[in-house]
Each structure stands twice: as structure tokens, then as C-alpha cells.
Amino acid sequence: MTTSPGDWRLLQTLSDKPASEVVDGDVVSAVEFDPSGDYLATGDRAGRVRVFAKSDVPSTGLDSGARSTPGSVMRSALFGRSTSNDKASPSGGKTVEYRQWHEYQSHEAEFDYLKSLEIEEKINCLRWCKPINSAFLMLTTNDKTIKLWKLQERKRPVAIVEGYSNGKGLGGGEAPDVSQRGVGWVVLQARLLERDAYHINSISLNSDCEHFVSADDLRINLWNLGVSNTSFNVVDIKPDNMEELTEVITAACCHPTQCNTFLWSNSRGSVKLADMRCKALCDDHAKVFEEEDDPSRRSFFSEIISSIADIKFSSDGRYILSRDYMCLKLWDVNMESRPLRTIYVHEQLRGKLCDLYENDSIFDKFQCAFSGDNNRIMTGSYNNFFHVYDRNGRQDKCIEATKKPNKKPTRPMPKLRGKGSPTKEESDMDLDKKVLHCSWHPSMPLVAVGVLNTVYVFSDDGQAGAGP
């Protein structure tokens, strides 16, 4: 059977649990592939992190033929022999499967007695770091605390009693043989304390793999992975009088190849590019990417819906992707005046902003992502749908994240605001079903999206043989 680009199919569901057993702590709050694509990490509202390892499985079935074990995948990822070059094949060859490899408790609920404030254990963001020797490093954060985790596979002693096999039993006077045959995870932790009282919304690893930035409501700090008690403030928008506050920082993202450059976005719909070579404090941005709103469309909710929830660099650093509540914007880093593409994901909800405000849905933060080759972009929506767009503006593929996906036909990407009336299906959205978190495999046509407690992995069979 022939396939064409955009022929998405459900490959796997992870951390699935019956709906009747799901509690609030099981809801997925972060999804992230590692740079090799051999591992997938998820965080949830209970502060837990789960790591899934990729296994190659013959496409004819899970029980036929050999497969790579999570241990072999780990060794390949650590020593540069990534198995991600084995592309998923729609027929014959190999497909992939992610198996749970480890789970640990990253954050616990805390209470700040000085401020009478409860600190949730929810994982706001997680990022993979460069492996060191035989260990993986991972950054996780909740609202107040960033933690650096070291995951390492080590041998552990296992007692093997041979007395039962020779018929003597334990009473035969022989001591059990202790052998280094077992293999287990050792999780070590270095705790990085955020120094101020504002909520951390994002963390991003620097391209030198030695530093990272953390962004909260009013500041962006630069950290060294090896120093846990000191950070350098690189952006500070806190006014002397808090009553004069007009914006907050919503996200930050480091450039993929230039260690001196990073992006940050604010609640007023602006994306700012900062260069740390200019000065230590980057309050004065090098570039600003923003588009003026149409005055005829302004309303009480304009500032809320223009607040940017997520920003991403393309892997080559040429393009910038920003996502606010209503639309997805693609920018060329060399052109500040206007975006290359503006995709109106939720234009059909513009007439229901009052209802969305009353039930707090207007504050939902949808993530976005580039494909490994930077030719496609994706973001989530309601009704458990997520959208995959062509970067050049030719098509929109809408896929439902469920065990029995209802794939909408490919349609031209919307170009004008508010043109045409939405269909009944688009207007009657279930606001409790939403895809907030997504991640694209760095080299394969695979995407992972989080819905409630489940992570769905989809594969594009039409692009299975293509790499970045």
C-alpha cells in the first residue's frame, strides 16, 4: 500500500490507565525526547518522572525476531551509536516501541511557612542534558525548585544460593555465592535552588551543554550545571514599584548553536532575542519580534490571548516558532517586521472568549514544536486534536490523540483572519479534552503528545524513509 506525507497512524500509548482510575496527579505535564531520540521522558502533576527507552521491533509483530533491549539502547546513546537511524517502516523492516525504563519521584509537595504558600509538586518542565561517561543528566523543575538528576546504570550484588540446586539446601553449611550479576538504576540528585519568589515557567539548555537558563515571571537566570548555589541574572524586568508592572516573562529558549544567544517571550505577545556578548544584563534586547494587533479586533481579552505560552528555535537557528492562545506564528530570525506565517488555530473560539474566561480555559498553555528537518511544525488544540502544519503553508493535518484516531482530511492552511464561518464540529469543542504538551523526535517522523495521563506516540508512514 502506498503512503503519502501526512499519513499519521497511532504507534503506541504510554502510561495508559482506565479513565475511572485516573487522578489529578496522573495528568501528564511535560513530554520530551532526548537529543538522540532513543529516550522519551514524561513528567506529571504528582512530581514523578518516567523514562521510556526505544526498542526496535520487527513490523510483523512484537514476538517475532530479535529486538534491541533498553540496555543496548542506553549504551548506544551514551557512546554515540544511536539506533535512531533505523527509520520506522510502514511495511517490512523495523518499527519502534518505547518501554518504561525507569521512574522516580522528582519533586514533593512543600509548604512555605513564611509566605503561607503551598508549593505544588507538578513538573512544569524537563530537559535532557548531555550524557557524562555512563550516566544521563536531566533537569526538572516545579514552580520553585530546579533539580539536576543523574541517572546511571550500575551493577549491584545479588546473592545466588546454589545449595538448592545440588540438593544440600541451606543447612549444608555452604555460604551463598554473591555475584555482581544484577543491574539496577542509581539516581543521584543535585538540587539547584531558585533564589527568588516567582514561579519558574521554563528551563532551556545552552548549546555549550555546560549552562542553562531558567525563566520565572520577572527574571531570567543563567546557571552552570556544576554549580548549584550561584546563578547570574541576565534579564530582570521587575520595576521598582510593582504597581507599574505591565508584563511578565512567559518562556525562554537558548539558541541551538550559539551559546551567547537566547530568546524570551512576554505576556504582551513579544518575542525578544538577547545577546550576552553586548552586556551582562540583557534587559535591552538585540531584536524584538512582534506584530501589532488590528485595532478593530481589540477587546477586554486581547492581552490574555496574546500572551505567548511557548517559543522554540528551529534546529538550525534560522526560524522561531511562537504559540499564543489563538495562533501559531513562524518567524524568520532575520525579519522582525512581521511573521512568515500566522496560523489561526483557535479563530473559531473568538466569539466565546467570555465563556472561556469564566471557566479558565483561556489560560491554557499550548506547546509547539519543529520537526527534525524543520519543514513541519505542530501544536495542540481541544477535542484531543493536534495539528501538523507544513512550514511553507500548504497544508494542515489534524489528528485526534486517542486509541482510535479520527483523522480529519488534509486542508489548506488558513491565511486570513476570521474568513469563513466555523463548522459545527469546530465550534462545539470539548474544552476538557486538550493536547497541551508535545514533542517531535529529532530525526524520525515520530511525535509524542500528552493527553490526561496518557502519552500517544504517532508515526508518519509517508515520511518513514526520510531523515532530516
Side-chain angles (χ1 to χ4, degrees):
M1 181 179 68
T2 61
T3 57
S4 59
D7 187 14
W8 293 90
R9 68 181 177 90
L10 178 63
L11 193 66
Q12 190 180 2
T13 59
L14 304 173
S15 302
D16 199 7
K17 184 186 288 188
S20 58
E21 301 178 12
V22 175
V23 296
D24 184 69
D26 296 327
V27 176
V28 174
S29 59
V31 179
E32 185 80 8
F33 281 104
D34 82 314
S36 70
D38 291 333
Y39 285 83
L40 174 64
T42 67
D44 61 26
R45 292 184 181 177
R48 297 171 299 221
V49 173
R50 293 182 177 90
V51 181
F52 299 87
K54 171 177 167 289
S55 297
D56 292 323
V57 182
S59 61
T60 54
L62 298 181
D63 298 327
S64 60
R67 71 179 71 189
S68 63
T69 64
S72 66
V73 173
M74 179 180 184
R75 290 187 287 272
S76 298
L78 288 172
F79 298 107
R81 297 185 297 272
S82 172
T83 59
S84 294
N85 291 328
D86 297 328
K87 305 300 181 182
S89 175
S91 60
K94 295 179 179 179
T95 185
V96 297
E97 175 189 11
Y98 284 89
R99 296 181 170 187
Q100 184 164 331
W101 188 222
H102 190 64
E103 176 181 340
Y104 63 93
Q105 187 72 34
S106 174
H107 288 74
E108 301 277 359
E110 301 177 33
F111 190 82
D112 188 337
Y113 290 96
L114 293 178
K115 299 180 180 179
S116 297
L117 179 66
E118 184 177 356
I119 303 173
E120 292 183 345
E121 63 270 38
K122 173 190 171 186
I123 303 295
N124 289 341
C125 187
L126 58 84
R127 292 289 182 264
W128 290 90
C129 304
K130 184 178 180 180
I132 297 179
N133 297 327
S134 60
F136 285 114
L137 297 180
M138 183 185 297
L139 287 165
T140 63
T141 182
N142 64 352
D143 284 342
K144 297 295 182 181
T145 307
I146 304 170
K147 294 184 180 181
L148 174 63
W149 293 91
K150 181 180 179 181
L151 284 74
Q152 189 169 15
E153 193 180 36
R154 292 182 183 174
K155 291 183 178 180
R156 59 187 176 188
V158 177
I160 303 174
V161 182
E162 297 183 353
Y164 287 108
S165 60
N166 58 24
K168 297 179 180 180
L170 288 177
E174 296 183 2
D177 177 30
V178 178
S179 175
Q180 299 282 339
R181 298 188 183 182
V183 176
W185 278 95
V186 175
V187 181
L188 306 175
Q189 152 198 356
R191 181 169 180 167
L192 308 183
L193 297 178
E194 188 72 1
R195 295 182 300 176
D196 52 48
Y198 305 105
H199 290 198
I200 304 169
N201 51 54
S202 62
I203 51 179
S204 180
L205 185 68
N206 195 286
S207 61
D208 64 7
C209 299
E210 296 180 1
H211 300 83
F212 71 94
V213 297
S214 66
D216 57 49
D217 293 338
L218 298 179
R219 296 186 178 98
I220 298 177
N221 294 323
L222 178 67
W223 299 80
N224 187 299
L225 289 172
V227 181
S228 62
N229 58 357
T230 303
S231 66
F232 297 93
N233 183 225
V234 291
V235 174
D236 188 349
I237 64 170
K238 182 180 179 181
D240 295 332
N241 183 2
M242 287 296 288
E243 294 181 357
E244 299 174 359
L245 183 67
T246 59
E247 63 180 5
V248 295
I249 298 171
T250 57
C253 180
C254 290
H255 193 282
T257 58
Q258 300 174 9
C259 61
N260 55 280
T261 306
F262 65 94
L263 288 173
W264 59 281
S265 59
N266 61 23
S267 58
R268 303 179 68 177
S270 301
V271 178
K272 300 181 180 181
L273 186 143
D275 190 340
M276 289 184 282
R277 295 174 299 182
C278 298
K279 60 170 82 173
L281 194 60
C282 302
D283 292 345
D284 297 329
H285 50 270
K287 290 186 176 183
V288 58
F289 303 88
E290 61 182 349
E291 186 179 24
E292 291 293 332
D293 287 336
D294 185 352
S296 63
R297 301 170 67 85
R298 288 178 183 169
S299 67
F300 171 79
F301 307 102
S302 294
E303 185 172 345
I304 300 176
I305 63 177
S306 63
S307 177
I308 294 177
D310 193 22
I311 51 174
K312 291 290 193 305
F313 266 116
S314 61
S315 60
D316 57 4
R318 175 64 187 275
Y319 301 102
I320 298 169
L321 193 61
S322 66
R323 174 71 156 97
D324 57 40
Y325 185 76
M326 300 299 290
C327 61
L328 186 68
K329 292 182 181 179
L330 178 68
W331 299 85
D332 189 320
V333 74
N334 298 319
M335 187 172 69
E336 306 170 55
S337 58
R338 59 185 177 85
L340 293 176
R341 300 279 180 271
T342 301
I343 305 168
Y344 299 94
V345 183
H346 287 160
E347 187 65 24
Q348 65 273 21
L349 297 178
R350 188 171 291 273
K352 298 184 177 181
L353 294 179
C354 185
D355 296 334
L356 295 170
Y357 180 79
E358 291 179 355
N359 60 26
D360 288 341
S361 294
I362 200 172
F363 300 104
D364 287 336
K365 298 183 182 299
F366 295 91
Q367 293 183 348
C368 57
F370 276 100
S371 63
D373 58 6
N374 302 320
N375 288 328
R376 290 184 288 179
I377 54 182
M378 70 175 295
T379 191
S381 183
Y382 293 109
N383 278 353
N384 283 358
F385 282 106
F386 66 95
H387 297 261
V388 177
Y389 302 98
D390 188 288
R391 195 191 72 197
N392 297 320
R394 287 193 291 265
Q395 66 178 25
D396 163 16
K397 191 71 175 181
C398 187
I399 306 102
E400 185 180 9
T402 182
K403 289 185 177 180
K404 296 181 179 179
N406 176 23
K407 293 184 290 186
K408 290 186 176 182
T410 301
R411 58 188 182 187
M413 201 159 64
K415 298 179 181 179
L416 300 177
R417 307 186 187 196
K419 296 295 183 181
S421 57
T423 63
K424 183 177 185 300
E425 181 183 7
E426 292 175 330
S427 299
D428 298 337
M429 285 191 169
D430 188 342
L431 303 178
D432 294 327
K433 297 179 178 180
K434 48 196 170 187
V435 177
L436 299 178
H437 310 286
C438 61
S439 182
W440 201 304
H441 192 286
S443 60
M444 297 176 64
L446 296 178
V447 298
V449 297
V451 177
L452 291 179
N453 67 306
T454 306
V455 175
Y456 296 89
V457 181
F458 283 83
S459 170
D460 182 4
D461 289 342
Q463 290 286 323

